Every structure is written in structure tokens, then in C-alpha cells.
Amino acid sequence: MARWNTWTHGTPRRAVLGGAAAAAAGFALAGCGSDDDGGDEPKGRKKGEKITLTFWSWVPGIDKPVALWNSKNPEVRVKVEKVSAVDGAQYAKMHAAIKAGNPPDLGQIEYPVVPSFLIDNGLLDLTKYGVADHKDKFIGWQWQQSVFGKAVYAVPQASGPMGLFIRQDLFDKWGIEPPTTWDEYEAAATAIRKKGAWIETFSATNGNRFAGLAWQAGARWFGTEGDTWTVSIDDEPTRKVADYWYGLVRRKLIKTIPDRQNAWYKDVQTGDMASWLGASWGDALLVGNAPKTAGKWRVVPMPQWKKGEAAYANWGGSTTAVFAKSEYPKDALAFAIWLNTDPESIKLLIENGYGTPGAKQGYTTSQLDVHKDFFGGQEYSEVFDEASKGVDTSWKWGPATDTLYQRLGDAFTAAIGDGSDFRSVLKKVQSQTITDLKEKGLQVKAG
């Protein structure tokens, strides 16, 4: 039996299909995890053999730590292949490669999307290669994001606690205080419009950020009841968020262009857009794309629904995963662990803006202030460090999140086009998601 076929009938799909509770909560589940049906083992590397591992990633500057690894490990060379992260293109490519039987050895996969790859039987259970020996090197909740049943499918890389990037010079010039609540944010948006600029954009195709906004408001999109997934995209906290942003759009207080694309970059460069609700990794993005605005930006906490609260969320957060068809899983895992725990590697990753490390050690908080001068000397990592402490870690991702994001993007785009309220988006996507999961053979119901 070919190894790939063995895997198809092995652990990961069963972990998601038959063990919703385990998949969602990371709890152990009898029958799931590191079981082995005795299929063919991967090829592995002979002593002294030189191999090349392929690694698909979009992290800026990932080439540098990989080059460092290659300089120290001449027998196990890693070749980086950059993939586009725009609108989920990287995942479409990975799923297509899995289907075609030619995925890379390693890939960068965000936490929300890991379950989607288990449904495809695309990732390798790393427990049989000793990944558990490294568990204590990583922040607990990030480690758990890739644990399903008894199996571990990826190595934590970084998280993206959210904050508000603002053009302090413009806020000062216009006499506008940085908003601390969403009511103040709306007032600031109104004031900034009167100055001829915009506070931000509602990016219809950015489901990842919208999920973060819902997360902060207390939403729980996915849950479990026994072996049944519950889907609650159309819950009250998310409705509150949808109503809020629909109000800003309807009153033309905010743009509706996609973020992190050409028009958005131009707005950021010219000051036509005075702030950005981003994540910790956004510092490098601003530095790289708006260098002439150096010294004018600051980071302040994400606005709160109630003054004095400290509720935050993550946008993104990634792992380094080993694909199920890798012929050299032991070496691939060794690279993934090194990449995300070695102090020299972390230093290079931080310098290029990969987010807040998933590793417990190997860096100092001050190291995260890589672009301190760009932010006017502010020790801005402190804002994200506090945000990280306020993230509700009980939020769980469900299967097929990448499809969910596409659904949200299509529905928000249509709603903005025809003027429909955003609650209609939630109702539609809730229904679509339940259908999508049923079609994948999952037990599911509305939460």
C-alpha cells in the first residue's frame, strides 16, 4: 500500500470527522491521535545523505533564517518557495498540491486553517517523530492550536495580537485623541472625514480581520456538542460587530477598498488613511511600504466596547507544518523546531516582522521593537504584549476556515455593492458554512 493511501485512511481526517470535540478543544479522544495502521514508512535520510526540503512560506525575510540553517546543516538543505498570501491564494495552492500528490515538505499555515488540511489528510502527525519533547518550548495555547486528539500537526511560529496603528502627526494636527472605545473610534472617523481623510477601510475580503473583531466582541463561531460541530457565525456578538461596521460604511465614514493592496498602500503612504487596525506583524508592513512616513506612526490599544475593558484578539498567527507526503519528516521537523526556537533564527524572524513569537524563550520583549524609530521612539511592542494577555484563548477554529473566509469576502463584497445590511451576510455565511461542513461528512448544526 502506498504511504499516501495509508495516510488517507489514517488519523487526521478521522480526528476531525469523528472527533469534533477533540478537534475543537484539543482534548484527547480515544481512537484519534497517533495511531498507526502499519502503512509504509517515509523514505527517511540515510546517514551522510544530502537532501533538499522544500518550504512554502510568505513570511517576509524568511530567506535569512533559512540561509542560516543551510549554512549550519549542509546535509539538509531547505529551499524556500514564496507563495502569495493574498485572499488565501497560498492555501488554494497547497490544497491543489495535496490533491495532485506533490505538496512541499513544509509549509507555513495559519492556526485557523490547520483543520482544513486535516480534512484533506494533508499534514503529518508529528508525535511519532518526537515533537512532544519540544512542547515546553512554546506558549501553551499556541501549541494547542495544532493539537487534535493525541496528534500534533504543526509547530507554533507566531501570533498576531491586534492593536491600532495611528498617524500620530495627523491626529495631533487635527486635535483628535486616539480612540479608546468603539464609540470614540466612530467619533474619530467622523472628525477625520471632515478633514478630508479617512480613518480606515472595511476590507470586505479580509475575513481574518473580521474574525478578530468578532473574537474581541465575545463571539464563538465554532463549538462542539459531543461529536457534532456547532456553528454560530450569526451570533449576537458578531451581529454587534457587523452592525457597527455597516453603520460606518453606510454613513461613508470609512472606505471599502481591500487592505494591503495598491490603493490601500497609497492611502497609507499619503496620509489619506490615518490609521489601521492591524496586528503585531503589521509594523514591518508599514515600514516596508510607507518609509517616508517614518517617525509619524504610533501604536495604541485596540478600541474597546466598554471603556476600561481589556479584550483583544489575534489576527493571524502561524505554524510551520510538515506535509504528510514528506519523505523526510524527521529532518523536516528538526528544521521546524529550529526555525521557531533558535535565538538566532528568532532574531532574524523578528527583524523581518513575523509577529509575536510562539516560543517562550530565545528573545526579549525589547527585541520586538525592531522599528522603534519608525514609531517615533515608542516601545510599541508593549502594546501588543498587553494585547496578547487579553486575548480570549477559548476561541476555537472550525474546519474549512479558508472556505469560510472566501464566503465572508463574497458576501460582504455583494452587500457593499447592493447596500444590504451586514446581518444578511452573517445569516448567509452561517447557512453556507453548515452546508459546507455537512458536505465534508461532518456532523454539524447551528449553535
Side-chain angles (χ1 to χ4, degrees), residues 43-47 49-53 69 73 75-78 105-106 124 126 129 322 326-339:
K43 181 179 177 181
R45 182 170 63 91
K46 298 176 183 176
K47 186 176 181 180
E49 180 184 4
K50 293 186 177 180
I51 62 170
T52 297
L53 303 173
W69 164 272
N73 298 273
E75 293 184 353
V76 183
R77 181 174 177 272
V78 175
D105 294 282
L106 299 122
L124 188 65
L126 300 171
Y129 300 102
V322 179
S326 174
E327 294 289 358
Y328 308 101
K330 192 173 179 180
D331 293 298
L333 175 60
F335 168 73
I337 295 292
W338 176 89
L339 177 69

PDB file of all heavy atoms in Angstrom, residues 43-47 49-53 69 73 75-78 105-106 124 126 129 322 326-339:
ATOM      1  N   LYS A  43      10.501   7.605   3.336  1.00  0.00           N
ATOM      2  CA  LYS A  43      11.827   7.168   2.910  1.00  0.00           C
ATOM      3  C   LYS A  43      12.883   7.423   3.981  1.00  0.00           C
ATOM      4  O   LYS A  43      13.683   6.532   4.301  1.00  0.00           O
ATOM      5  CB  LYS A  43      12.193   7.913   1.622  1.00  0.00           C
ATOM      6  CG  LYS A  43      13.536   7.558   1.042  1.00  0.00           C
ATOM      7  CD  LYS A  43      13.744   8.357  -0.246  1.00  0.00           C
ATOM      8  CE  LYS A  43      15.128   8.089  -0.846  1.00  0.00           C
ATOM      9  NZ  LYS A  43      15.319   8.900  -2.078  1.00  0.00           N
ATOM     10  N   GLY A  44      12.902   8.606   4.535  1.00  0.00           N
ATOM     11  CA  GLY A  44      13.919   8.945   5.521  1.00  0.00           C
ATOM     12  C   GLY A  44      15.268   9.180   4.862  1.00  0.00           C
ATOM     13  O   GLY A  44      15.465   8.896   3.679  1.00  0.00           O
ATOM     14  N   ARG A  45      16.187   9.713   5.635  1.00  0.00           N
ATOM     15  CA  ARG A  45      17.508  10.059   5.084  1.00  0.00           C
ATOM     16  C   ARG A  45      18.557   9.100   5.614  1.00  0.00           C
ATOM     17  O   ARG A  45      18.626   8.841   6.810  1.00  0.00           O
ATOM     18  CB  ARG A  45      17.862  11.492   5.478  1.00  0.00           C
ATOM     19  CG  ARG A  45      19.193  11.993   4.933  1.00  0.00           C
ATOM     20  CD  ARG A  45      19.328  13.491   5.166  1.00  0.00           C
ATOM     21  NE  ARG A  45      19.340  13.829   6.570  1.00  0.00           N
ATOM     22  CZ  ARG A  45      20.437  13.923   7.321  1.00  0.00           C
ATOM     23  NH1 ARG A  45      21.624  13.686   6.773  1.00  0.00           N
ATOM     24  NH2 ARG A  45      20.365  14.235   8.601  1.00  0.00           N
ATOM     25  N   LYS A  46      19.359   8.598   4.711  1.00  0.00           N
ATOM     26  CA  LYS A  46      20.457   7.735   5.110  1.00  0.00           C
ATOM     27  C   LYS A  46      21.583   8.591   5.697  1.00  0.00           C
ATOM     28  O   LYS A  46      21.728   9.758   5.349  1.00  0.00           O
ATOM     29  CB  LYS A  46      20.978   6.949   3.909  1.00  0.00           C
ATOM     30  CG  LYS A  46      19.950   6.009   3.294  1.00  0.00           C
ATOM     31  CD  LYS A  46      20.505   5.336   2.057  1.00  0.00           C
ATOM     32  CE  LYS A  46      19.464   4.459   1.401  1.00  0.00           C
ATOM     33  NZ  LYS A  46      19.943   3.859   0.138  1.00  0.00           N
ATOM     34  N   LYS A  47      22.367   8.016   6.557  1.00  0.00           N
ATOM     35  CA  LYS A  47      23.467   8.742   7.179  1.00  0.00           C
ATOM     36  C   LYS A  47      24.413   9.292   6.114  1.00  0.00           C
ATOM     37  O   LYS A  47      24.870   8.562   5.239  1.00  0.00           O
ATOM     38  CB  LYS A  47      24.236   7.816   8.126  1.00  0.00           C
ATOM     39  CG  LYS A  47      25.302   8.530   8.935  1.00  0.00           C
ATOM     40  CD  LYS A  47      25.964   7.578   9.925  1.00  0.00           C
ATOM     41  CE  LYS A  47      27.010   8.323  10.751  1.00  0.00           C
ATOM     42  NZ  LYS A  47      27.667   7.401  11.722  1.00  0.00           N
ATOM     43  N   GLU A  49      23.640  11.246   3.750  1.00  0.00           N
ATOM     44  CA  GLU A  49      22.938  11.604   2.511  1.00  0.00           C
ATOM     45  C   GLU A  49      22.572  13.089   2.518  1.00  0.00           C
ATOM     46  O   GLU A  49      22.157  13.623   3.546  1.00  0.00           O
ATOM     47  CB  GLU A  49      21.662  10.773   2.369  1.00  0.00           C
ATOM     48  CG  GLU A  49      20.872  11.073   1.102  1.00  0.00           C
ATOM     49  CD  GLU A  49      19.554  10.309   1.034  1.00  0.00           C
ATOM     50  OE1 GLU A  49      19.237   9.607   2.003  1.00  0.00           O
ATOM     51  OE2 GLU A  49      18.851  10.430   0.024  1.00  0.00           O
ATOM     52  N   LYS A  50      22.715  13.733   1.402  1.00  0.00           N
ATOM     53  CA  LYS A  50      22.337  15.133   1.272  1.00  0.00           C
ATOM     54  C   LYS A  50      20.959  15.229   0.628  1.00  0.00           C
ATOM     55  O   LYS A  50      20.716  14.609  -0.411  1.00  0.00           O
ATOM     56  CB  LYS A  50      23.367  15.902   0.442  1.00  0.00           C
ATOM     57  CG  LYS A  50      24.729  16.026   1.138  1.00  0.00           C
ATOM     58  CD  LYS A  50      25.680  16.911   0.343  1.00  0.00           C
ATOM     59  CE  LYS A  50      27.006  17.080   1.108  1.00  0.00           C
ATOM     60  NZ  LYS A  50      27.950  17.944   0.352  1.00  0.00           N
ATOM     61  N   ILE A  51      20.080  15.998   1.265  1.00  0.00           N
ATOM     62  CA  ILE A  51      18.716  16.140   0.750  1.00  0.00           C
ATOM     63  C   ILE A  51      18.337  17.612   0.690  1.00  0.00           C
ATOM     64  O   ILE A  51      19.004  18.473   1.265  1.00  0.00           O
ATOM     65  CB  ILE A  51      17.692  15.401   1.644  1.00  0.00           C
ATOM     66  CG1 ILE A  51      17.690  16.018   3.061  1.00  0.00           C
ATOM     67  CG2 ILE A  51      17.993  13.913   1.686  1.00  0.00           C
ATOM     68  CD1 ILE A  51      16.555  15.522   3.930  1.00  0.00           C
ATOM     69  N   THR A  52      17.251  17.884  -0.017  1.00  0.00           N
ATOM     70  CA  THR A  52      16.697  19.242  -0.066  1.00  0.00           C
ATOM     71  C   THR A  52      15.220  19.176   0.299  1.00  0.00           C
ATOM     72  O   THR A  52      14.459  18.412  -0.297  1.00  0.00           O
ATOM     73  CB  THR A  52      16.853  19.849  -1.470  1.00  0.00           C
ATOM     74  OG1 THR A  52      18.243  19.968  -1.779  1.00  0.00           O
ATOM     75  CG2 THR A  52      16.220  21.243  -1.526  1.00  0.00           C
ATOM     76  N   LEU A  53      14.852  19.954   1.303  1.00  0.00           N
ATOM     77  CA  LEU A  53      13.457  20.068   1.710  1.00  0.00           C
ATOM     78  C   LEU A  53      12.864  21.326   1.095  1.00  0.00           C
ATOM     79  O   LEU A  53      13.508  22.384   1.110  1.00  0.00           O
ATOM     80  CB  LEU A  53      13.347  20.155   3.236  1.00  0.00           C
ATOM     81  CG  LEU A  53      13.960  19.012   4.049  1.00  0.00           C
ATOM     82  CD1 LEU A  53      13.912  19.341   5.542  1.00  0.00           C
ATOM     83  CD2 LEU A  53      13.219  17.712   3.778  1.00  0.00           C
ATOM     84  N   TRP A  69      20.210  28.339   8.526  1.00  0.00           N
ATOM     85  CA  TRP A  69      20.087  26.873   8.684  1.00  0.00           C
ATOM     86  C   TRP A  69      20.949  26.141   7.662  1.00  0.00           C
ATOM     87  O   TRP A  69      21.670  25.209   7.995  1.00  0.00           O
ATOM     88  CB  TRP A  69      18.617  26.465   8.529  1.00  0.00           C
ATOM     89  CG  TRP A  69      18.427  24.992   8.292  1.00  0.00           C
ATOM     90  CD1 TRP A  69      18.436  24.352   7.083  1.00  0.00           C
ATOM     91  CD2 TRP A  69      18.231  23.964   9.273  1.00  0.00           C
ATOM     92  NE1 TRP A  69      18.239  23.000   7.244  1.00  0.00           N
ATOM     93  CE2 TRP A  69      18.112  22.730   8.582  1.00  0.00           C
ATOM     94  CE3 TRP A  69      18.124  23.967  10.659  1.00  0.00           C
ATOM     95  CZ2 TRP A  69      17.892  21.515   9.239  1.00  0.00           C
ATOM     96  CZ3 TRP A  69      17.911  22.749  11.321  1.00  0.00           C
ATOM     97  CH2 TRP A  69      17.798  21.550  10.611  1.00  0.00           C
ATOM     98  N   ASN A  73      23.715  23.316   8.260  1.00  0.00           N
ATOM     99  CA  ASN A  73      23.230  21.948   8.008  1.00  0.00           C
ATOM    100  C   ASN A  73      23.394  21.596   6.526  1.00  0.00           C
ATOM    101  O   ASN A  73      22.423  21.524   5.777  1.00  0.00           O
ATOM    102  CB  ASN A  73      21.762  21.836   8.415  1.00  0.00           C
ATOM    103  CG  ASN A  73      21.537  22.087   9.880  1.00  0.00           C
ATOM    104  OD1 ASN A  73      21.622  21.172  10.691  1.00  0.00           O
ATOM    105  ND2 ASN A  73      21.261  23.341  10.230  1.00  0.00           N
ATOM    106  N   GLU A  75      23.894  18.966   5.013  1.00  0.00           N
ATOM    107  CA  GLU A  75      23.280  17.722   4.520  1.00  0.00           C
ATOM    108  C   GLU A  75      21.765  17.868   4.334  1.00  0.00           C
ATOM    109  O   GLU A  75      21.154  17.084   3.613  1.00  0.00           O
ATOM    110  CB  GLU A  75      23.566  16.566   5.483  1.00  0.00           C
ATOM    111  CG  GLU A  75      25.045  16.170   5.533  1.00  0.00           C
ATOM    112  CD  GLU A  75      25.270  14.964   6.425  1.00  0.00           C
ATOM    113  OE1 GLU A  75      24.311  14.534   7.101  1.00  0.00           O
ATOM    114  OE2 GLU A  75      26.404  14.467   6.461  1.00  0.00           O
ATOM    115  N   VAL A  76      21.165  18.839   5.018  1.00  0.00           N
ATOM    116  CA  VAL A  76      19.714  19.025   4.929  1.00  0.00           C
ATOM    117  C   VAL A  76      19.448  20.461   4.480  1.00  0.00           C
ATOM    118  O   VAL A  76      19.233  21.362   5.285  1.00  0.00           O
ATOM    119  CB  VAL A  76      19.020  18.738   6.275  1.00  0.00           C
ATOM    120  CG1 VAL A  76      17.505  18.860   6.114  1.00  0.00           C
ATOM    121  CG2 VAL A  76      19.383  17.355   6.788  1.00  0.00           C
ATOM    122  N   ARG A  77      19.465  20.660   3.209  1.00  0.00           N
ATOM    123  CA  ARG A  77      19.251  21.998   2.660  1.00  0.00           C
ATOM    124  C   ARG A  77      17.751  22.266   2.558  1.00  0.00           C
ATOM    125  O   ARG A  77      16.964  21.393   2.185  1.00  0.00           O
ATOM    126  CB  ARG A  77      19.898  22.102   1.279  1.00  0.00           C
ATOM    127  CG  ARG A  77      19.763  23.465   0.619  1.00  0.00           C
ATOM    128  CD  ARG A  77      20.548  23.524  -0.681  1.00  0.00           C
ATOM    129  NE  ARG A  77      20.362  24.813  -1.343  1.00  0.00           N
ATOM    130  CZ  ARG A  77      19.385  25.067  -2.190  1.00  0.00           C
ATOM    131  NH1 ARG A  77      18.508  24.110  -2.485  1.00  0.00           N
ATOM    132  NH2 ARG A  77      19.264  26.245  -2.741  1.00  0.00           N
ATOM    133  N   VAL A  78      17.364  23.480   2.919  1.00  0.00           N
ATOM    134  CA  VAL A  78      15.955  23.891   2.799  1.00  0.00           C
ATOM    135  C   VAL A  78      15.841  24.915   1.685  1.00  0.00           C
ATOM    136  O   VAL A  78      16.593  25.896   1.643  1.00  0.00           O
ATOM    137  CB  VAL A  78      15.431  24.476   4.125  1.00  0.00           C
ATOM    138  CG1 VAL A  78      14.007  25.016   3.949  1.00  0.00           C
ATOM    139  CG2 VAL A  78      15.456  23.411   5.220  1.00  0.00           C
ATOM    140  N   ASP A 105       7.618  19.793   1.389  1.00  0.00           N
ATOM    141  CA  ASP A 105       7.865  19.109   2.658  1.00  0.00           C
ATOM    142  C   ASP A 105       7.272  19.897   3.821  1.00  0.00           C
ATOM    143  O   ASP A 105       6.721  19.317   4.755  1.00  0.00           O
ATOM    144  CB  ASP A 105       9.372  18.928   2.869  1.00  0.00           C
ATOM    145  CG  ASP A 105       9.989  17.993   1.845  1.00  0.00           C
ATOM    146  OD1 ASP A 105       9.840  16.775   1.995  1.00  0.00           O
ATOM    147  OD2 ASP A 105      10.574  18.501   0.868  1.00  0.00           O
ATOM    148  N   LEU A 106       7.425  21.213   3.746  1.00  0.00           N
ATOM    149  CA  LEU A 106       6.976  22.077   4.839  1.00  0.00           C
ATOM    150  C   LEU A 106       6.174  23.246   4.287  1.00  0.00           C
ATOM    151  O   LEU A 106       6.372  23.671   3.148  1.00  0.00           O
ATOM    152  CB  LEU A 106       8.171  22.634   5.611  1.00  0.00           C
ATOM    153  CG  LEU A 106       9.096  21.627   6.306  1.00  0.00           C
ATOM    154  CD1 LEU A 106      10.515  21.809   5.781  1.00  0.00           C
ATOM    155  CD2 LEU A 106       9.049  21.811   7.813  1.00  0.00           C
ATOM    156  N   LEU A 124       1.188  15.843   8.470  1.00  0.00           N
ATOM    157  CA  LEU A 124       1.759  14.686   9.145  1.00  0.00           C
ATOM    158  C   LEU A 124       1.584  14.814  10.653  1.00  0.00           C
ATOM    159  O   LEU A 124       1.829  15.880  11.222  1.00  0.00           O
ATOM    160  CB  LEU A 124       3.252  14.598   8.804  1.00  0.00           C
ATOM    161  CG  LEU A 124       3.999  13.346   9.257  1.00  0.00           C
ATOM    162  CD1 LEU A 124       3.465  12.114   8.546  1.00  0.00           C
ATOM    163  CD2 LEU A 124       5.490  13.504   8.998  1.00  0.00           C
ATOM    164  N   LEU A 126       3.056  14.585  13.921  1.00  0.00           N
ATOM    165  CA  LEU A 126       4.473  14.670  14.268  1.00  0.00           C
ATOM    166  C   LEU A 126       4.815  13.951  15.561  1.00  0.00           C
ATOM    167  O   LEU A 126       5.981  13.938  15.956  1.00  0.00           O
ATOM    168  CB  LEU A 126       4.879  16.146  14.366  1.00  0.00           C
ATOM    169  CG  LEU A 126       4.679  16.955  13.076  1.00  0.00           C
ATOM    170  CD1 LEU A 126       4.889  18.450  13.343  1.00  0.00           C
ATOM    171  CD2 LEU A 126       5.646  16.475  12.003  1.00  0.00           C
ATOM    172  N   TYR A 129       7.514  11.371  15.647  1.00  0.00           N
ATOM    173  CA  TYR A 129       8.869  11.869  15.369  1.00  0.00           C
ATOM    174  C   TYR A 129       9.414  12.703  16.540  1.00  0.00           C
ATOM    175  O   TYR A 129      10.404  13.413  16.387  1.00  0.00           O
ATOM    176  CB  TYR A 129       8.883  12.667  14.069  1.00  0.00           C
ATOM    177  CG  TYR A 129       8.434  11.801  12.909  1.00  0.00           C
ATOM    178  CD1 TYR A 129       7.143  11.907  12.403  1.00  0.00           C
ATOM    179  CD2 TYR A 129       9.281  10.833  12.369  1.00  0.00           C
ATOM    180  CE1 TYR A 129       6.710  11.076  11.364  1.00  0.00           C
ATOM    181  CE2 TYR A 129       8.861   9.997  11.345  1.00  0.00           C
ATOM    182  CZ  TYR A 129       7.574  10.122  10.855  1.00  0.00           C
ATOM    183  OH  TYR A 129       7.147   9.291   9.845  1.00  0.00           O
ATOM    184  N   VAL A 322       4.496  20.111   8.653  1.00  0.00           N
ATOM    185  CA  VAL A 322       5.134  19.139   7.765  1.00  0.00           C
ATOM    186  C   VAL A 322       4.027  18.418   6.996  1.00  0.00           C
ATOM    187  O   VAL A 322       3.095  17.885   7.600  1.00  0.00           O
ATOM    188  CB  VAL A 322       5.971  18.114   8.559  1.00  0.00           C
ATOM    189  CG1 VAL A 322       6.611  17.103   7.603  1.00  0.00           C
ATOM    190  CG2 VAL A 322       7.036  18.825   9.384  1.00  0.00           C
ATOM    191  N   SER A 326       5.811  14.195   2.908  1.00  0.00           N
ATOM    192  CA  SER A 326       7.263  14.407   3.008  1.00  0.00           C
ATOM    193  C   SER A 326       7.983  13.079   3.192  1.00  0.00           C
ATOM    194  O   SER A 326       7.605  12.247   4.023  1.00  0.00           O
ATOM    195  CB  SER A 326       7.589  15.317   4.198  1.00  0.00           C
ATOM    196  OG  SER A 326       8.990  15.396   4.371  1.00  0.00           O
ATOM    197  N   GLU A 327       9.027  12.914   2.442  1.00  0.00           N
ATOM    198  CA  GLU A 327       9.821  11.684   2.545  1.00  0.00           C
ATOM    199  C   GLU A 327      10.834  11.781   3.686  1.00  0.00           C
ATOM    200  O   GLU A 327      11.463  10.788   4.041  1.00  0.00           O
ATOM    201  CB  GLU A 327      10.558  11.415   1.229  1.00  0.00           C
ATOM    202  CG  GLU A 327       9.641  11.088   0.060  1.00  0.00           C
ATOM    203  CD  GLU A 327       8.989   9.702   0.189  1.00  0.00           C
ATOM    204  OE1 GLU A 327       9.282   8.990   1.161  1.00  0.00           O
ATOM    205  OE2 GLU A 327       8.191   9.345  -0.688  1.00  0.00           O
ATOM    206  N   TYR A 328      10.988  12.993   4.221  1.00  0.00           N
ATOM    207  CA  TYR A 328      12.000  13.195   5.261  1.00  0.00           C
ATOM    208  C   TYR A 328      11.394  13.911   6.465  1.00  0.00           C
ATOM    209  O   TYR A 328      11.821  15.015   6.840  1.00  0.00           O
ATOM    210  CB  TYR A 328      13.178  13.996   4.707  1.00  0.00           C
ATOM    211  CG  TYR A 328      13.758  13.420   3.436  1.00  0.00           C
ATOM    212  CD1 TYR A 328      13.445  13.976   2.190  1.00  0.00           C
ATOM    213  CD2 TYR A 328      14.589  12.305   3.484  1.00  0.00           C
ATOM    214  CE1 TYR A 328      13.968  13.439   1.022  1.00  0.00           C
ATOM    215  CE2 TYR A 328      15.116  11.759   2.320  1.00  0.00           C
ATOM    216  CZ  TYR A 328      14.804  12.331   1.096  1.00  0.00           C
ATOM    217  OH  TYR A 328      15.319  11.793  -0.058  1.00  0.00           O
ATOM    218  N   PRO A 329      10.399  13.310   7.096  1.00  0.00           N
ATOM    219  CA  PRO A 329       9.687  14.009   8.184  1.00  0.00           C
ATOM    220  C   PRO A 329      10.565  14.322   9.384  1.00  0.00           C
ATOM    221  O   PRO A 329      10.390  15.361  10.026  1.00  0.00           O
ATOM    222  CB  PRO A 329       8.562  13.024   8.547  1.00  0.00           C
ATOM    223  CG  PRO A 329       9.006  11.704   8.035  1.00  0.00           C
ATOM    224  CD  PRO A 329       9.810  11.982   6.809  1.00  0.00           C
ATOM    225  N   LYS A 330      11.509  13.451   9.703  1.00  0.00           N
ATOM    226  CA  LYS A 330      12.368  13.698  10.860  1.00  0.00           C
ATOM    227  C   LYS A 330      13.211  14.950  10.641  1.00  0.00           C
ATOM    228  O   LYS A 330      13.338  15.792  11.537  1.00  0.00           O
ATOM    229  CB  LYS A 330      13.276  12.478  11.083  1.00  0.00           C
ATOM    230  CG  LYS A 330      13.997  12.473  12.403  1.00  0.00           C
ATOM    231  CD  LYS A 330      14.731  11.149  12.595  1.00  0.00           C
ATOM    232  CE  LYS A 330      15.474  11.146  13.925  1.00  0.00           C
ATOM    233  NZ  LYS A 330      16.191   9.862  14.120  1.00  0.00           N
ATOM    234  N   ASP A 331      13.757  15.089   9.461  1.00  0.00           N
ATOM    235  CA  ASP A 331      14.562  16.272   9.158  1.00  0.00           C
ATOM    236  C   ASP A 331      13.684  17.510   9.024  1.00  0.00           C
ATOM    237  O   ASP A 331      14.079  18.607   9.425  1.00  0.00           O
ATOM    238  CB  ASP A 331      15.353  16.046   7.863  1.00  0.00           C
ATOM    239  CG  ASP A 331      16.409  14.967   8.031  1.00  0.00           C
ATOM    240  OD1 ASP A 331      17.314  15.147   8.859  1.00  0.00           O
ATOM    241  OD2 ASP A 331      16.310  13.946   7.346  1.00  0.00           O
ATOM    242  N   ALA A 332      12.491  17.334   8.461  1.00  0.00           N
ATOM    243  CA  ALA A 332      11.582  18.471   8.318  1.00  0.00           C
ATOM    244  C   ALA A 332      11.173  18.995   9.689  1.00  0.00           C
ATOM    245  O   ALA A 332      11.131  20.215   9.917  1.00  0.00           O
ATOM    246  CB  ALA A 332      10.354  18.055   7.514  1.00  0.00           C
ATOM    247  N   LEU A 333      10.886  18.079  10.616  1.00  0.00           N
ATOM    248  CA  LEU A 333      10.526  18.504  11.972  1.00  0.00           C
ATOM    249  C   LEU A 333      11.699  19.198  12.648  1.00  0.00           C
ATOM    250  O   LEU A 333      11.523  20.218  13.330  1.00  0.00           O
ATOM    251  CB  LEU A 333      10.071  17.303  12.803  1.00  0.00           C
ATOM    252  CG  LEU A 333       9.790  17.590  14.283  1.00  0.00           C
ATOM    253  CD1 LEU A 333       8.677  18.630  14.424  1.00  0.00           C
ATOM    254  CD2 LEU A 333       9.415  16.311  15.015  1.00  0.00           C
ATOM    255  N   ALA A 334      12.884  18.656  12.476  1.00  0.00           N
ATOM    256  CA  ALA A 334      14.068  19.272  13.087  1.00  0.00           C
ATOM    257  C   ALA A 334      14.215  20.715  12.612  1.00  0.00           C
ATOM    258  O   ALA A 334      14.524  21.623  13.402  1.00  0.00           O
ATOM    259  CB  ALA A 334      15.316  18.462  12.740  1.00  0.00           C
ATOM    260  N   PHE A 335      13.984  20.936  11.325  1.00  0.00           N
ATOM    261  CA  PHE A 335      14.072  22.304  10.806  1.00  0.00           C
ATOM    262  C   PHE A 335      12.972  23.181  11.412  1.00  0.00           C
ATOM    263  O   PHE A 335      13.226  24.321  11.812  1.00  0.00           O
ATOM    264  CB  PHE A 335      13.949  22.310   9.280  1.00  0.00           C
ATOM    265  CG  PHE A 335      13.738  23.685   8.711  1.00  0.00           C
ATOM    266  CD1 PHE A 335      14.785  24.599   8.666  1.00  0.00           C
ATOM    267  CD2 PHE A 335      12.481  24.084   8.267  1.00  0.00           C
ATOM    268  CE1 PHE A 335      14.584  25.885   8.163  1.00  0.00           C
ATOM    269  CE2 PHE A 335      12.276  25.358   7.770  1.00  0.00           C
ATOM    270  CZ  PHE A 335      13.335  26.260   7.721  1.00  0.00           C
ATOM    271  N   ALA A 336      11.753  22.653  11.481  1.00  0.00           N
ATOM    272  CA  ALA A 336      10.628  23.448  12.003  1.00  0.00           C
ATOM    273  C   ALA A 336      10.876  23.860  13.453  1.00  0.00           C
ATOM    274  O   ALA A 336      10.600  25.005  13.840  1.00  0.00           O
ATOM    275  CB  ALA A 336       9.330  22.650  11.889  1.00  0.00           C
ATOM    276  N   ILE A 337      11.402  22.945  14.251  1.00  0.00           N
ATOM    277  CA  ILE A 337      11.714  23.274  15.649  1.00  0.00           C
ATOM    278  C   ILE A 337      12.816  24.314  15.723  1.00  0.00           C
ATOM    279  O   ILE A 337      12.726  25.305  16.452  1.00  0.00           O
ATOM    280  CB  ILE A 337      12.133  21.999  16.424  1.00  0.00           C
ATOM    281  CG1 ILE A 337      10.955  21.022  16.515  1.00  0.00           C
ATOM    282  CG2 ILE A 337      12.660  22.368  17.805  1.00  0.00           C
ATOM    283  CD1 ILE A 337       9.815  21.489  17.373  1.00  0.00           C
ATOM    284  N   TRP A 338      13.862  24.098  14.949  1.00  0.00           N
ATOM    285  CA  TRP A 338      14.979  25.053  14.962  1.00  0.00           C
ATOM    286  C   TRP A 338      14.512  26.436  14.506  1.00  0.00           C
ATOM    287  O   TRP A 338      14.836  27.449  15.143  1.00  0.00           O
ATOM    288  CB  TRP A 338      16.092  24.556  14.020  1.00  0.00           C
ATOM    289  CG  TRP A 338      17.232  25.532  13.892  1.00  0.00           C
ATOM    290  CD1 TRP A 338      18.345  25.610  14.670  1.00  0.00           C
ATOM    291  CD2 TRP A 338      17.327  26.602  12.937  1.00  0.00           C
ATOM    292  NE1 TRP A 338      19.135  26.647  14.262  1.00  0.00           N
ATOM    293  CE2 TRP A 338      18.537  27.287  13.195  1.00  0.00           C
ATOM    294  CE3 TRP A 338      16.517  27.049  11.891  1.00  0.00           C
ATOM    295  CZ2 TRP A 338      18.954  28.387  12.457  1.00  0.00           C
ATOM    296  CZ3 TRP A 338      16.927  28.154  11.147  1.00  0.00           C
ATOM    297  CH2 TRP A 338      18.141  28.810  11.430  1.00  0.00           C
ATOM    298  N   LEU A 339      13.774  26.486  13.436  1.00  0.00           N
ATOM    299  CA  LEU A 339      13.327  27.768  12.881  1.00  0.00           C
ATOM    300  C   LEU A 339      12.606  28.613  13.930  1.00  0.00           C
ATOM    301  O   LEU A 339      12.776  29.834  13.968  1.00  0.00           O
ATOM    302  CB  LEU A 339      12.390  27.509  11.689  1.00  0.00           C
ATOM    303  CG  LEU A 339      11.773  28.740  11.018  1.00  0.00           C
ATOM    304  CD1 LEU A 339      12.850  29.538  10.281  1.00  0.00           C
ATOM    305  CD2 LEU A 339      10.665  28.317  10.048  1.00  0.00           C
TER     306      LEU A 339
END
